[in-house]
Amino acid sequence: MRTARPRTGPLSQLGARRQRAERPHARPAHARPGAASRLAGGGRRLLLARVVAAALALIGAWLPATAAHAAGTATIADRAPKEDDGRWKLKMTINYGGTPHLSHIPMLFSFTPTVHYERALTDQSPEKPILNRIPLQNQQSINESMDVGFSDGSGKVFSITKFDFVLRRDRGFEAGEYELVIKRASDGVQVGQKQKITLQGENAIIDRRAIVFTGEKKKKDKAADKPDAEKGGEAEKAQGSEGEPASEPAEAEAPSDAELPPDEAPPPVEPRQGGCGCRLSPEEAATPLALPLVALGAAAALARRIRTRRARRG
């Protein structure tokens, strides 16, 4: 019997090559069934992971900021106290949020003015002052420091304390509205939330009238000027009356020409031609005659000295 032999000739090899060429190529991964769903699922998971990471980052950033922004609580019994002898009393309660590590915690109370209560006299109300609420911006806060105690007499420390905080006018406070912020002095952490308080009272009156009438003051001034004028006239009269007697003794003491002795009487002086026609007093008339005499005496003394020197030399 004859057995079939495989053909190994050129025709058989060509057919094999064609069969191999006709085989379909391997499909890509994305073209395989179920690959699209797998890719979609992986993208969703990646997106979800990114969203969760962002949320966790936001929560982590928000929690420390919240803890640093406020710690504990602070409440005020009456946020609109009335003035009593230039003082306002705030009754406060502070919850530390836990047991403090010290019995006294230094705290800083910052009061920022927001509205000023002005009492003013205007042309419409010249006698009774009116109240003007003036808004304020960018004002410098008034800081008051205080050691808040959280313990009793036995030394036991509590998380809640009550105390009175007093505001005074001599510390710069006036009637108006303020914003209060309480912070721990050690680390600057805010205690409780920002609170608005109103200090009720009467500030100094400001005169805003365009014309100020002061007729009564003028009458008082005139009445006051009259006594002064009368006193001034009396003083002048007194001075005049005192001056007159003073001149009489002077005239009485001065000797007359008749009482002078004949030797002391000044020699008669004849008026010169072309002169001013005035007469000189005895002292002035004697002065020109005395000068030549003094000169002659000095010349004679000098001549005597010269003679004595020559005599000694000879």
Side-chain angles (χ1 to χ4, degrees), residues 6-8 10 22 40 50 56 111-112 137 148 159 220 232 237-238 253 255 273 279-280 284 288:
R7 297 178 179 179
T8 59
E22 289 178 357
R50 290 179 179 178
L56 292 175
F111 297 85
T112 304
Q137 295 180 356
V148 181
S159 61
K220 293 180 180 179
K237 291 180 181 179
E253 292 176 0
Q273 299 295 333
R279 294 184 178 180
L280 300 175
E284 294 178 353

mmCIF file of all heavy atoms in Angstrom, residues 6-8 10 22 40 50 56 111-112 137 148 159 220 232 237-238 253 255 273 279-280 284 288:
data_model
loop_
_atom_site.group_PDB
_atom_site.id
_atom_site.type_symbol
_atom_site.label_atom_id
_atom_site.label_comp_id
_atom_site.label_asym_id
_atom_site.label_seq_id
_atom_site.Cartn_x
_atom_site.Cartn_y
_atom_site.Cartn_z
ATOM 1 N N PRO A 6 3.725 13.851 2.783
ATOM 2 C CA PRO A 6 3.531 15.321 2.742
ATOM 3 C C PRO A 6 4.321 15.982 1.632
ATOM 4 O O PRO A 6 5.423 15.550 1.341
ATOM 5 C CB PRO A 6 4.043 15.777 4.117
ATOM 6 C CG PRO A 6 5.006 14.709 4.529
ATOM 7 C CD PRO A 6 4.526 13.392 3.937
ATOM 8 N N ARG A 7 3.680 16.843 1.088
ATOM 9 C CA ARG A 7 4.323 17.533 -0.006
ATOM 10 C C ARG A 7 5.213 18.635 0.553
ATOM 11 O O ARG A 7 4.778 19.501 1.309
ATOM 12 C CB ARG A 7 3.297 18.142 -0.937
ATOM 13 C CG ARG A 7 2.402 17.071 -1.597
ATOM 14 C CD ARG A 7 1.384 17.759 -2.467
ATOM 15 N NE ARG A 7 0.541 16.715 -3.135
ATOM 16 C CZ ARG A 7 -0.460 17.014 -3.952
ATOM 17 N NH1 ARG A 7 -0.719 18.318 -4.207
ATOM 18 N NH2 ARG A 7 -1.165 16.056 -4.509
ATOM 19 N N THR A 8 6.417 18.527 0.090
ATOM 20 C CA THR A 8 7.394 19.512 0.546
ATOM 21 C C THR A 8 7.957 20.345 -0.588
ATOM 22 O O THR A 8 8.984 20.972 -0.467
ATOM 23 C CB THR A 8 8.550 18.796 1.266
ATOM 24 O OG1 THR A 8 9.147 17.873 0.352
ATOM 25 C CG2 THR A 8 8.060 18.072 2.513
ATOM 26 N N PRO A 10 7.814 23.242 -3.681
ATOM 27 C CA PRO A 10 7.635 24.693 -3.670
ATOM 28 C C PRO A 10 6.192 25.105 -3.575
ATOM 29 O O PRO A 10 5.867 26.098 -2.944
ATOM 30 C CB PRO A 10 8.284 25.150 -4.970
ATOM 31 C CG PRO A 10 8.532 23.938 -5.788
ATOM 32 C CD PRO A 10 8.491 22.757 -4.911
ATOM 33 N N GLU A 22 -2.726 34.899 5.837
ATOM 34 C CA GLU A 22 -4.153 35.174 5.950
ATOM 35 C C GLU A 22 -4.643 35.137 7.390
ATOM 36 O O GLU A 22 -5.762 35.539 7.685
ATOM 37 C CB GLU A 22 -4.909 34.127 5.126
ATOM 38 C CG GLU A 22 -4.741 34.317 3.628
ATOM 39 C CD GLU A 22 -5.457 33.243 2.847
ATOM 40 O OE1 GLU A 22 -6.024 32.337 3.526
ATOM 41 O OE2 GLU A 22 -5.458 33.302 1.615
ATOM 42 N N ALA A 40 -12.565 52.380 31.922
ATOM 43 C CA ALA A 40 -13.505 53.334 32.520
ATOM 44 C C ALA A 40 -13.530 53.197 34.040
ATOM 45 O O ALA A 40 -13.536 54.176 34.793
ATOM 46 C CB ALA A 40 -14.895 53.137 31.929
ATOM 47 N N ARG A 50 -8.537 61.033 43.823
ATOM 48 C CA ARG A 50 -8.100 62.427 43.838
ATOM 49 C C ARG A 50 -9.074 63.315 44.611
ATOM 50 O O ARG A 50 -8.672 64.193 45.380
ATOM 51 C CB ARG A 50 -7.953 62.939 42.412
ATOM 52 C CG ARG A 50 -6.775 62.323 41.654
ATOM 53 C CD ARG A 50 -6.715 62.851 40.240
ATOM 54 N NE ARG A 50 -5.580 62.278 39.522
ATOM 55 C CZ ARG A 50 -5.310 62.543 38.243
ATOM 56 N NH1 ARG A 50 -6.112 63.365 37.543
ATOM 57 N NH2 ARG A 50 -4.265 61.979 37.662
ATOM 58 N N LEU A 56 -9.673 65.475 52.066
ATOM 59 C CA LEU A 56 -8.900 65.282 53.298
ATOM 60 C C LEU A 56 -7.927 66.430 53.534
ATOM 61 O O LEU A 56 -7.715 66.864 54.679
ATOM 62 C CB LEU A 56 -8.135 63.949 53.231
ATOM 63 C CG LEU A 56 -8.997 62.680 53.269
ATOM 64 C CD1 LEU A 56 -8.126 61.443 53.083
ATOM 65 C CD2 LEU A 56 -9.772 62.594 54.578
ATOM 66 N N PHE A 111 -10.707 96.281 72.572
ATOM 67 C CA PHE A 111 -11.957 96.980 72.285
ATOM 68 C C PHE A 111 -11.705 97.922 71.103
ATOM 69 O O PHE A 111 -10.910 98.865 71.213
ATOM 70 C CB PHE A 111 -12.433 97.774 73.501
ATOM 71 C CG PHE A 111 -12.755 96.926 74.704
ATOM 72 C CD1 PHE A 111 -11.756 96.541 75.587
ATOM 73 C CD2 PHE A 111 -14.052 96.513 74.947
ATOM 74 C CE1 PHE A 111 -12.046 95.771 76.690
ATOM 75 C CE2 PHE A 111 -14.349 95.730 76.054
ATOM 76 C CZ PHE A 111 -13.341 95.361 76.928
ATOM 77 N N THR A 112 -12.393 97.678 69.989
ATOM 78 C CA THR A 112 -12.239 98.508 68.789
ATOM 79 C C THR A 112 -13.474 99.382 68.636
ATOM 80 O O THR A 112 -14.584 98.855 68.488
ATOM 81 C CB THR A 112 -12.056 97.636 67.545
ATOM 82 O OG1 THR A 112 -10.931 96.767 67.740
ATOM 83 C CG2 THR A 112 -11.815 98.501 66.319
ATOM 84 N N GLN A 137 -14.203 104.011 61.324
ATOM 85 C CA GLN A 137 -13.498 102.984 60.560
ATOM 86 C C GLN A 137 -12.002 103.097 60.813
ATOM 87 O O GLN A 137 -11.484 104.198 61.014
ATOM 88 C CB GLN A 137 -13.785 103.108 59.062
ATOM 89 C CG GLN A 137 -15.235 102.844 58.685
ATOM 90 C CD GLN A 137 -15.474 102.967 57.197
ATOM 91 O OE1 GLN A 137 -14.572 103.314 56.441
ATOM 92 N NE2 GLN A 137 -16.682 102.667 56.755
ATOM 93 N N VAL A 148 -6.876 86.198 84.276
ATOM 94 C CA VAL A 148 -8.170 85.595 84.600
ATOM 95 C C VAL A 148 -7.913 84.354 85.448
ATOM 96 O O VAL A 148 -7.160 83.455 85.045
ATOM 97 C CB VAL A 148 -8.942 85.233 83.317
ATOM 98 C CG1 VAL A 148 -10.294 84.620 83.665
ATOM 99 C CG2 VAL A 148 -9.129 86.472 82.448
ATOM 100 N N SER A 159 -12.654 74.753 84.767
ATOM 101 C CA SER A 159 -12.643 75.139 83.354
ATOM 102 C C SER A 159 -13.498 76.366 83.081
ATOM 103 O O SER A 159 -13.370 76.990 82.023
ATOM 104 C CB SER A 159 -13.136 73.976 82.484
ATOM 105 O OG SER A 159 -14.471 73.619 82.834
ATOM 106 N N LYS A 220 -22.937 142.014 81.118
ATOM 107 C CA LYS A 220 -22.119 141.824 82.315
ATOM 108 C C LYS A 220 -20.775 142.519 82.167
ATOM 109 O O LYS A 220 -20.263 143.121 83.094
ATOM 110 C CB LYS A 220 -21.914 140.344 82.581
ATOM 111 C CG LYS A 220 -23.186 139.618 82.976
ATOM 112 C CD LYS A 220 -22.907 138.150 83.222
ATOM 113 C CE LYS A 220 -24.183 137.420 83.618
ATOM 114 N NZ LYS A 220 -23.933 135.978 83.836
ATOM 115 N N GLY A 232 -10.727 154.013 87.902
ATOM 116 C CA GLY A 232 -9.625 154.672 87.208
ATOM 117 C C GLY A 232 -9.704 156.177 87.336
ATOM 118 O O GLY A 232 -8.705 156.865 87.538
ATOM 119 N N LYS A 237 -7.839 161.235 89.880
ATOM 120 C CA LYS A 237 -8.103 162.394 90.740
ATOM 121 C C LYS A 237 -7.192 162.375 91.961
ATOM 122 O O LYS A 237 -6.661 163.391 92.389
ATOM 123 C CB LYS A 237 -9.562 162.396 91.183
ATOM 124 C CG LYS A 237 -10.522 162.692 90.036
ATOM 125 C CD LYS A 237 -11.959 162.678 90.534
ATOM 126 C CE LYS A 237 -12.947 162.946 89.408
ATOM 127 N NZ LYS A 237 -14.340 162.902 89.891
ATOM 128 N N ALA A 238 -7.034 161.169 92.537
ATOM 129 C CA ALA A 238 -6.181 161.065 93.723
ATOM 130 C C ALA A 238 -4.750 161.438 93.384
ATOM 131 O O ALA A 238 -4.072 162.133 94.145
ATOM 132 C CB ALA A 238 -6.244 159.661 94.296
ATOM 133 N N GLU A 253 9.898 176.044 99.269
ATOM 134 C CA GLU A 253 11.284 175.873 99.670
ATOM 135 C C GLU A 253 12.241 176.646 98.780
ATOM 136 O O GLU A 253 13.324 177.020 99.194
ATOM 137 C CB GLU A 253 11.642 174.376 99.636
ATOM 138 C CG GLU A 253 10.915 173.578 100.707
ATOM 139 C CD GLU A 253 11.215 172.112 100.583
ATOM 140 O OE1 GLU A 253 11.992 171.752 99.664
ATOM 141 O OE2 GLU A 253 10.689 171.316 101.378
ATOM 142 N N PRO A 255 14.074 179.585 97.319
ATOM 143 C CA PRO A 255 14.214 180.985 97.766
ATOM 144 C C PRO A 255 14.013 181.925 96.593
ATOM 145 O O PRO A 255 14.371 181.629 95.456
ATOM 146 C CB PRO A 255 15.636 181.046 98.309
ATOM 147 C CG PRO A 255 16.350 179.956 97.566
ATOM 148 C CD PRO A 255 15.370 178.909 97.307
ATOM 149 N N GLN A 273 24.154 191.987 70.348
ATOM 150 C CA GLN A 273 23.459 192.350 69.117
ATOM 151 C C GLN A 273 23.430 191.155 68.177
ATOM 152 O O GLN A 273 24.445 190.485 67.998
ATOM 153 C CB GLN A 273 24.165 193.537 68.444
ATOM 154 C CG GLN A 273 24.183 194.797 69.308
ATOM 155 C CD GLN A 273 22.781 195.343 69.529
ATOM 156 O OE1 GLN A 273 21.903 195.128 68.708
ATOM 157 N NE2 GLN A 273 22.598 196.045 70.650
ATOM 158 N N ARG A 279 18.159 184.938 77.591
ATOM 159 C CA ARG A 279 19.087 185.119 78.702
ATOM 160 C C ARG A 279 19.468 183.758 79.274
ATOM 161 O O ARG A 279 18.667 182.858 79.365
ATOM 162 C CB ARG A 279 18.452 185.975 79.793
ATOM 163 C CG ARG A 279 18.184 187.394 79.345
ATOM 164 C CD ARG A 279 17.638 188.202 80.506
ATOM 165 N NE ARG A 279 17.406 189.589 80.106
ATOM 166 C CZ ARG A 279 16.928 190.526 80.932
ATOM 167 N NH1 ARG A 279 16.655 190.202 82.195
ATOM 168 N NH2 ARG A 279 16.754 191.746 80.491
ATOM 169 N N LEU A 280 20.738 183.675 79.698
ATOM 170 C CA LEU A 280 21.240 182.446 80.291
ATOM 171 C C LEU A 280 21.056 182.468 81.783
ATOM 172 O O LEU A 280 21.032 183.530 82.404
ATOM 173 C CB LEU A 280 22.720 182.250 79.942
ATOM 174 C CG LEU A 280 23.062 182.156 78.460
ATOM 175 C CD1 LEU A 280 24.572 182.091 78.283
ATOM 176 C CD2 LEU A 280 22.402 180.958 77.824
ATOM 177 N N GLU A 284 24.858 178.763 83.699
ATOM 178 C CA GLU A 284 25.309 178.715 82.326
ATOM 179 C C GLU A 284 26.156 179.934 81.985
ATOM 180 O O GLU A 284 27.101 179.862 81.199
ATOM 181 C CB GLU A 284 24.113 178.626 81.386
ATOM 182 C CG GLU A 284 23.348 177.312 81.532
ATOM 183 C CD GLU A 284 22.150 177.295 80.631
ATOM 184 O OE1 GLU A 284 21.868 178.353 80.027
ATOM 185 O OE2 GLU A 284 21.488 176.240 80.515
ATOM 186 N N PRO A 288 31.308 179.893 80.875
ATOM 187 C CA PRO A 288 32.322 180.385 79.934
ATOM 188 C C PRO A 288 33.431 181.171 80.611
ATOM 189 O O PRO A 288 34.579 181.142 80.189
ATOM 190 C CB PRO A 288 31.520 181.266 78.977
ATOM 191 C CG PRO A 288 30.120 180.771 79.083
ATOM 192 C CD PRO A 288 29.972 180.354 80.504
#
